């Protein structure tokens, strides 16, 4: 069955960097696009970024453009989110999810990122 | 960006009740809409995609309808495991956007 396991979350100070990983198994990773979605404590879902299966197409929400980079290593079945210049408002649980290009099909359990001084 | 607005924000209902949640898009998204269920401390789960297609394994008491800017999620007979928060999401354009969520609580 599909399994997505996020890691790399933690507590960081504002302005610092963090790299999240999402290890995929149970499906042909290279055939699927992948999203990152976040959820601030007690708040709703917020889409962050997507990378298409062929890696060339990437889209970001405006508030993370220029600071976050989504990437993937199909040889390792792993999705990444490099987060630089972190801000307090980036504090959230970050989920990775598979996509059929439109909808978010399967989700990981999430990893918590806390940005605080 | 396309704004997604859900109503109500919360609803109290009893086991066996029929419940309908509405989602409105700020512009025409055709049928590019999904519904997700999220329980406390858990990841969201896809229930319905393309406005009305039930995801594999989702009970048939869940149904979706609508197109353009107006969509609904209906649960025909509430079960104890259905008490959760529900989100709609547009898949027409980037950035993908979600509704603010509807919390379904036990009366």
């Amino acid at each position: 069955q599909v399994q997505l396991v996020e890691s790399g979350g933690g507590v960081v100070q504002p302005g610092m960097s963090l790299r999240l990983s999402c290890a995929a198994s149970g499906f042909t990773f290279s055939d699927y696009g992948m999203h990152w979605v976040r959820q601030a404590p007690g708040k709703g879902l917020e889409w962050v970024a997507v990378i298409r299966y062929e890696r060339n197409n990437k889209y970001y929400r405006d508030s993370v453009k220029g600071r976050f980079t989504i990437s993937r290593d199909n040889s390792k079945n792993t999705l990444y989110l490099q987060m630089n210049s972190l801000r307090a408002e980036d504090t959230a649980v970050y989920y990775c999810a598979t996509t059929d290009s439109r909808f978010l099909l399967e989700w990981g359990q999430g990893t918590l990122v806390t940005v605080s001084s | 960006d396309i704004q997604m607005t859900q109503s109500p924000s919360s609803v109290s209902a009893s086991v066996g009740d029929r419940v309908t949640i509405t989602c409105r898009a700020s512009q025409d998204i055709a049928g590019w809409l999904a519904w997700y269920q999220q329980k406390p401390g858990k990841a969201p789960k896809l229930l319905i995609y393309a406005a009305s297609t039930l995801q594999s394994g989702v009970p048939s008491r869940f149904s979706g309808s609508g197109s353009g800017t107006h969509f609904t999620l209906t649960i025909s007979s509430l079960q104890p495991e259905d008490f959760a928060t529900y989100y709609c999401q547009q898949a027409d354009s980037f950035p993908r956007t979600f509704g603010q969520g509807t919390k379904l609580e036990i009366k």
Side-chain angles (χ1 to χ4, degrees), chain A residues 39 47 95 101-104 108, chain B residues 36 38 43 50 87 91 94 96:
Chain A
Q39 187 169 36
W47 177 81
Y95 297 100
S101 84
R102 292 278 185 179
F103 305 106
L104 284 71
Chain B
Y36 302 88
Q38 187 179 33
Y87 295 92
F94 291 108
R96 299 289 193 249

Side-chain angles (χ1 to χ4, degrees), chain A residues 45-64:
Chain A
L45 301 171
E46 182 174 81
W47 177 81
V48 175
V50 65
I51 183 168
R52 299 289 177 88
Y53 68 93
E54 73 274 37
R55 290 185 289 177
N56 288 333
N57 286 359
K58 305 174 185 180
Y59 298 91
Y60 300 90
R61 67 177 303 103
D62 283 349
S63 62
V64 308

Side-chain angles (χ1 to χ4, degrees), chain A residues 6 35 37-39 43-50 52 59-62 95 99-110, chain B residues 1 31-34 36 38 41-46 48-51 55 87 89-100:
Chain A
E6 301 93 337
H35 292 268
V37 174
R38 67 186 180 185
Q39 187 169 36
K43 302 297 184 182
L45 301 171
E46 182 174 81
W47 177 81
V48 175
V50 65
R52 299 289 177 88
Y59 298 91
Y60 300 90
R61 67 177 303 103
D62 283 349
Y95 297 100
T99 183
D100 61 351
S101 84
R102 292 278 185 179
F103 305 106
L104 284 71
L105 306 176
E106 301 284 348
W107 298 60
Q109 85 290 346
Chain B
D1 298 2
W32 300 118
L33 185 102
Y36 302 88
Q38 187 179 33
K42 301 294 186 182
K45 171 188 172 184
L46 178 64
I48 288 170
Y49 62 94
Q55 174 70 336
Y87 295 92
Q89 174 240 325
Q90 64 83 14
D92 178 71
S93 63
F94 291 108
R96 299 289 193 249
T97 45
F98 292 87
Q100 79 279 15

Side-chain angles (χ1 to χ4, degrees), chain A residues 12-19 38 67-68 83-91 94 113-115:
Chain A
V12 294
Q13 295 182 335
M16 301 294 284
S17 299
L18 209 55
R19 188 178 82 158
R38 67 186 180 185
R67 300 190 299 124
F68 289 12
M83 304 187 294
N84 299 331
S85 302
L86 282 161
R87 306 167 180 168
E89 54 265 35
D90 296 319
T91 294
Y94 284 73
V113 173
T114 302
V115 184

Side-chain angles (χ1 to χ4, degrees), chain A residues 3-30:
Chain A
Q3 190 169 14
L4 299 169
V5 180
E6 301 93 337
S7 61
V11 181
V12 294
Q13 295 182 335
M16 301 294 284
S17 299
L18 209 55
R19 188 178 82 158
L20 305 183
S21 299
C22 169
S25 60
F27 65 104
T28 305
F29 180 70
S30 57

